[in-house]
Amino acid sequence: MPTYTALTTLTGKAAAEGLGEAMERLTPEPTGVGVFEVEDGSGLWEVGGYFTETPDETALAVLAAAFGAKPFVVSELPETDWVAHVRRELAPVEAGRFFVYGSHDADKLPDGRIPLLIEAAMAFGTGHHGTTLGCLRALDRLIEEGFEARTVADIGCGTAVLAMAAARVWQGDILASDIDEVAVDVAEANLRANGMDGAVRCLEAAGFDHPDLKAHAPYDLIFANILKGPLVALAPDLTENLRPGGYAILSGILNEQADDVLSVYVQNGTNLHARNMIGEWTTLVLHKEGAI
């Protein structure tokens, strides 16, 4: 059965949310409506709907005009077995000593690598995206440099692949947190799938706002693979919770945003240790002066 998308952009959160609510009252009604901020600093918001029947383009045009949006672009999507498609497209990822794979590639595990089983359908953080891959490569380089961590926090953990990678290398107190309850459930499922029950403690929290995160601070290593806005807001807390001599690996940063993020963290007491780009994304490795 064919499905359809109708997408537009406009300026302002309130207008975007109002347009999204109005779309839900269309006939035929969409099976889902999404409202997302475009994370490029433009101030634009994207509003989209998914339909199992051909959407009413006249009604969409009226809504676009009413809310000051660009004309909707309506597309018919071909029938696709998305699970099979994802499995074909997402080959295993090698990041130094780490090998991230789905169960459909379990027969491809190479010798001498640290395997991390992450199913592509579960949550953000499969290792294929430049941000997660950049963090894994940064971790691998720190290990090569002789760095060891006894306390690790993965803030905004998604699949918890970064926390699991750390737990494969070091024993200690490793915590993974996410603001999304579903992501926490996914993280725990991934730990079980990897035979790592108990190796990482998974928490629902915004930033460091959880008693368990505070109890284990300061940390030798902190991952924060989120977005520029949350990273900037997190800078004082992250730096405070980082042990002198410790490292922070930050990603979710567009290349053109990296200097802005870096300057905030330098002002809060960390120095640049390494900067790496993969495609349009930058990963920053920061060091807090002192000795662990």
Side-chain angles (χ1 to χ4, degrees):
M1 179 177 67
T3 55
Y4 304 84
T5 61
L7 301 172
T8 187
T9 57
L10 69 165
T11 302
K13 179 180 179 180
E17 290 178 344
L19 176 55
E21 292 176 2
M23 285 185 69
E24 293 176 354
R25 297 189 290 271
L26 287 172
T27 302
E29 63 182 293
T31 58
V33 173
V35 179
F36 306 98
E37 184 176 10
V38 179
E39 294 288 348
D40 61 359
S42 65
L44 288 176
W45 288 70
E46 181 178 83
V47 179
Y50 294 85
F51 299 80
T52 56
E53 299 177 60
T54 305
D56 185 337
E57 295 194 39
T58 300
L60 288 170
V62 170
L63 287 182
F67 286 89
K70 290 185 177 181
F72 277 91
V73 175
V74 177
S75 303
E76 181 178 347
L77 301 179
E79 295 184 53
T80 304
D81 183 341
W82 288 107
V83 172
H85 175 76
V86 166
R87 288 181 172 178
R88 284 195 302 271
E89 293 296 321
L90 295 186
V93 170
E94 298 185 50
R97 72 198 64 220
F98 301 107
F99 185 85
V100 186
Y101 70 101
S103 58
H104 57 288
D105 285 317
D107 59 340
K108 298 178 182 177
L109 300 184
D111 294 333
R113 299 294 179 91
I114 297 174
L116 295 166
L117 171 61
I118 303 291
E119 296 294 3
M122 296 194 75
F124 177 80
T126 62
H128 296 81
H129 197 274
T131 58
T132 309
L133 178 58
C135 290
L136 288 170
R137 288 180 176 174
L139 172 61
D140 183 69
R141 281 190 291 270
L142 285 179
I143 297 167
E144 286 292 321
E145 294 169 8
F147 175 70
E148 295 184 11
R150 295 178 296 275
T151 52
V152 178
D154 182 2
I155 305 298
C157 65
T159 60
V161 65
L162 302 176
M164 288 194 297
R168 287 288 202 199
V169 178
W170 301 306
Q171 291 185 340
D173 295 320
I174 300 177
L175 289 79
S177 68
D178 202 287
I179 198 170
D180 185 348
E181 180 182 0
V182 174
V184 176
D185 292 340
V186 167
E188 291 175 340
N190 283 331
L191 285 162
R192 289 192 296 272
N194 282 271
M196 297 178 67
D197 276 320
V200 176
R201 177 161 172 73
C202 300
L203 309 167
E204 183 181 351
F208 290 88
D209 189 17
H210 192 286
D212 285 358
L213 284 168
K214 294 175 181 176
H216 288 86
Y219 294 92
D220 301 330
L221 176 64
I222 298 174
F223 297 104
N225 181 18
I226 38 182
L227 292 168
K228 176 191 173 183
L231 281 173
V232 168
L234 193 62
D237 277 352
L238 190 150
T239 305
E240 181 181 350
N241 284 281
L242 184 63
R243 190 187 307 275
Y247 289 88
I249 297 176
L250 312 182
S251 200
I253 309 164
L254 291 167
N255 295 333
E256 59 269 23
Q257 299 172 340
D259 287 342
D260 291 341
V261 174
L262 177 59
S263 66
V264 173
Y265 277 83
V266 169
Q267 291 168 21
N268 278 274
T270 59
N271 298 314
L272 179 65
H273 178 74
R275 179 201 302 243
N276 300 286
M277 292 186 291
I278 300 176
E280 62 183 339
W281 300 98
T282 291
T283 298
L284 299 174
V285 182
L286 306 177
H287 182 241
K288 187 173 183 179
E289 292 299 329
I292 291 180

